[in-house]
C-alpha cells in the first residue's frame, strides 16, 4: 500500500519524501503533548508513514515538536508542518524500520475500517485458523483465495481477481458482496450477520 523513500535514520522526512508515501484515511483516538507540556485529546484524520494529520484543539507553532500516543499505533513524535482548520499536520520522526511497521499497521487498519470491523468495535475481529478457501461467483466460477481478516459481518481476502464492487460472491457458506478493492485483494460484506458457529470451518 505504501512506497517509501524514507531515511534509515531517526529523522523527519523531507517534503518530497513525505509525498512518496500514500495517505490513508483513518479514525484513531489519542493524546498529544506540545513543547510547552500542554496535553490535548486528538484524533488522527489521515496518515502515512511519513506524516499525520490531527484534529485537535492544540495549535502548535510551525516546527514545534509534538509527542503523541495513538490507539493501535503507540508513540509518535515529530514536528509541526502546517496548521489546518481543525488541527495540524505533523511530520513523523522515525527509523526506516519504524516506518515499515507503521505502513503495515496502517494497511491493516485501513482494510479493517472498510469492512466496518475496527475502531467502532461493532464486531470482533476473529483470527482464522484455516485461511485457504475459495471465492465463488454467481456463475459458479471458483477462485482460490486466502482469508486475511474475518468477522461476523465481513472478510478480507487475498486474491488475484477483482470482481466489480457490488458483485455477489460466496466464501465458504457465507454469501456476501464485494465492497472494496485493495492492493492484496477484496473486502466482502456478508448479506447477513454470521454467528461464530457459521464460521467454525475457518476458526
Amino acid at each position: 500500500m505504501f512506497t517509501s523513500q524514507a531515511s534509515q535514520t531517526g529523522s523527519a522526512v523531507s517534503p518530497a519524501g513525505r509525498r512518496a508515501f500514500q495517505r490513508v484515511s483513518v479514525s484513531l483516538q489519542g493524546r498529544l503533548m506540545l513543547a510547552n507540556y500542554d496535553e490535548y485529546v486528538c484524533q488522527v484524520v489521515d496518515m502515512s508513514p511519513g506524516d499525520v494529520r490531527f484534529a485537535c484543539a492544540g495549535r502548535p507553532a510551525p516546527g514545534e515538536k509534538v509527542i503523541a500516543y495513538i490507539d493501535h499505533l503507540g508513540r509518535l513524535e515529530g514536528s509541526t508542518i502546517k496548521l489546518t482548520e481543525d488541527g495540524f499536520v505533523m511530520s513523523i520522526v522515525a527509523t526506516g524500520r519504524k516506518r515499515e511497521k507503521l505502513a503495515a499497521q496502517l494497511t491493516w487498519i485501513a482494510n479493517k475500517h472498510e469492512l466496518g470491523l475496527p475502531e467502532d468495535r461493532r464486531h470482533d475481529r476473529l483470527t482464522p485458523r484455516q485461511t485457504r478457501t475459495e471465492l465463488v461467483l454467481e456463475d459458479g466460477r471458483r477462485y482460490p483465495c486466502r482469508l486475511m481478516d474475518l468477522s461476523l459481518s465481513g472478510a478480507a481476502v487475498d486474491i488475484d481477481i477483482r470482481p466489480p464492487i457490488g458483485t455477489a460472491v460466496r466464501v465458504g457458506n457465507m454469501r456476501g458482496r464485494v465492497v472494496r478493492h485493495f492492493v492484496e485483494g477484496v473486502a466482502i460484506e456478508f448479506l447477513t450477520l454470521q454467528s461464530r458457529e457459521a464460521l467454525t470451518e475457518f476458526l
Side-chain angles (χ1 to χ4, degrees), residues 72-88:
H72 308 296
L73 298 178
R75 177 187 168 110
L76 300 175
E77 60 179 288
S79 300
T80 305
I81 302 170
K82 66 178 181 179
L83 298 180
T84 62
E85 288 186 4
D86 59 352
F88 63 95

Side-chain angles (χ1 to χ4, degrees), residues 12-25:
V13 182
S14 67
R18 280 193 301 271
R19 286 193 295 271
F21 294 108
Q22 178 183 348
R23 280 182 170 276
V24 294
S25 296

Side-chain angles (χ1 to χ4, degrees), residues 70-116:
I70 307 301
D71 291 351
H72 308 296
L73 298 178
R75 177 187 168 110
L76 300 175
E77 60 179 288
S79 300
T80 305
I81 302 170
K82 66 178 181 179
L83 298 180
T84 62
E85 288 186 4
D86 59 352
F88 63 95
V89 178
M90 179 187 86
S91 65
I92 297 173
V93 176
T95 63
R97 178 173 294 181
K98 172 68 171 178
R99 293 191 201 285
E100 290 175 2
K101 182 179 178 181
L102 280 174
Q105 289 173 309
L106 288 170
T107 299
W108 181 68
I109 290 168
N111 288 343
K112 288 209 305 171
H113 178 71
E114 293 299 329
L115 289 173

Side-chain angles (χ1 to χ4, degrees), residues 144-162:
C145 63
R146 181 178 66 87
L147 276 176
M148 300 172 62
D149 209 341
L150 184 65
S151 84
L152 305 184
S153 59
V157 298
D158 182 349
I159 193 169
D160 292 334
I161 66 165
R162 298 293 184 276

